[in-house]
Amino acid sequence: MSHNVRVRFAPSPTGPLHIGGVRTALYNYLFAKKHDGTFILRIEDTDQNRYVPGAENYIIEALNWCGIPFDEGPGKDGGYGPYRQSERKDKYFAFAKKLIDSGDAYYAFDTAEALDNHRKEHEEKGKTFIYNWHNRNKLDNSLVLTAEEVESRIAAGEDYVIRFKSPQDETLDLYDLIRGDMEIDTNILDDKVLYKADGMPTYHLANIVDDHLMEITHVIRGEEWLPSLALHVLLYRAFSWEAPKFAHLPLIMKPAGKGKLSKRDGEKMGFPVFPLLWKDPNTGGISQGYREDGYLPEAVVNMLAFLGWNPGTEKEIYTLDELITDFDLEKVHKAGAKFDPEKTKWFQQQHLQQSSDEEITKEFTKVLHKHGVDEKQSYIHKVVTLLKERAVFVEDLWQLGDYFFERPTTYDEKAVKKAWKDETPEILTQLSGVIAKIDDFSAENASNTVKTWIQEQELGFGKVMQPLRIALVGSMQGPDVFEIASTIGKESTLERLRFAIEKL
Ligand code: GLU
């Protein structure tokens, strides 16, 4: 098996890709890579009414950003293309026709109006109208019409659909890699439309035909498709095709309460539910994205991998390669996975700490440019090493350490009230004299010199160090004050002391 694994991610381009969709793509990717298989992107765009321009590009960009690019798909032909269903339109009718010829499907002429009336009549009697075995022989279809009638109505241009003829009185055994064995009574199934009046296949037909033609071995998709499994298995049987294996992934649930995680949850609680920022082409409305919010793709991927799966060990921080090794479809949970925005931040913080100082320096340089700061890489690198452990996002480094790049212009009031005493200007003036004489201005040497001086003068550390920090930083924050002094340099340190003495 392991050579021929072919899986597909098959989104419909109806808007930005929800993180639930990204997780589906990720699990497909991990499974494919684990088995040296092929990860395919197929765009399911048969429903032209729901097509949203830009959505396909968004999907591709999101996969690339996450580091899980497809092997085959639009623009990357692997011999099974085209990969957009709208470009495969001409393939589907012949398959629908095949099922008609084998007696597994039939033409139905019932108008929307007629079906509506049936529905209403049923509702009035407290029943639900289902188009299937128990009434299909009373409706307007080729099961009751003669072959000539059917032919002439089609020739006359009447609208028709092709419906699947679900079997009666059968118990169907279904198997899912995550959920195990399931039984379905076929009497509850309706005769789903396979081919529509507009000359397009429905999702069900196109999906099965394409999975077959693309030689898909495993269908890994969201739980919302579980109710379609019986029909899909029946379609494979009707075509006498070998069905792929199925795995239906658990839903991603709201952080609190019941139900699926929605866009609204994110808006209410201020976290993104999309990988990338999305601008709605119709309304112009903006939805937050993980990328633009400063998350590392590694963190997002790690977080998503754990929404519905874990290795059964204590290990939580994973690289993509490690995920490929440890991921196991059969260990995916059945129960819905609660989305946790705080945990997502934790993954981000952990992955940022794991990033190399060089990478962070590169990203932080961009942030600095946005703030109009241009500095030497070695200097920025030094700042990164001092501040990194306090940061969750690269952007945080600016709030944490803007004073490394510009002299504080304001001073934290509370800190000043607490630490700036009448004698402070005098002490700092003396301190400046001590500092001015230090030749080796390394953090260590500066620290030793100043501390010795404090002890000799019997001044008390707080009286010197706190005002010094206020002068350099503007507040009581930051790493070791001598690291700061040494980094900004002797001249800047003295200048900041002068400025603070004058200002405060
Ligand atoms: N087009 C379906 C979707 O949008 C694909 C479902 C499947 O993977 O079969 O999710």
Side-chain angles (χ1 to χ4, degrees), residues 456-492:
E456 282 166 8
Q457 304 293 311
E458 293 175 5
L459 278 170
F461 281 103
K463 279 191 185 157
V464 180
M465 310 280 260
Q466 289 184 352
L468 171 61
R469 181 177 291 280
I470 291 174
L472 300 189
V473 175
S475 72
M476 291 301 227
Q477 284 171 8
D480 179 70
V481 73
F482 295 104
E483 287 288 359
I484 299 171
S486 164
T487 305
I488 63 175
K490 193 158 101 176
E491 286 318 310
S492 294

Side-chain angles (χ1 to χ4, degrees), residues 17-76:
L17 188 59
H18 184 276
I19 49 169
V22 183
R23 188 207 44 187
T24 300
L26 173 65
Y27 282 18
N28 273 282
Y29 176 90
L30 295 176
F31 185 77
K33 298 300 145 185
K34 190 178 178 81
H35 297 281
D36 285 326
T38 307
F39 172 50
I40 296 150
L41 175 68
R42 183 172 73 227
I43 300 294
E44 302 213 322
D45 56 351
T46 52
D47 190 349
Q48 295 292 330
N49 297 326
R50 298 184 59 217
Y51 181 80
V52 173
E56 181 185 315
N57 279 339
Y58 180 98
I59 291 164
I60 294 173
E61 210 181 320
L63 297 182
N64 290 339
W65 180 69
C66 288
I68 55 170
F70 54 90
D71 304 309
E72 265 179 44
K76 274 196 207 171

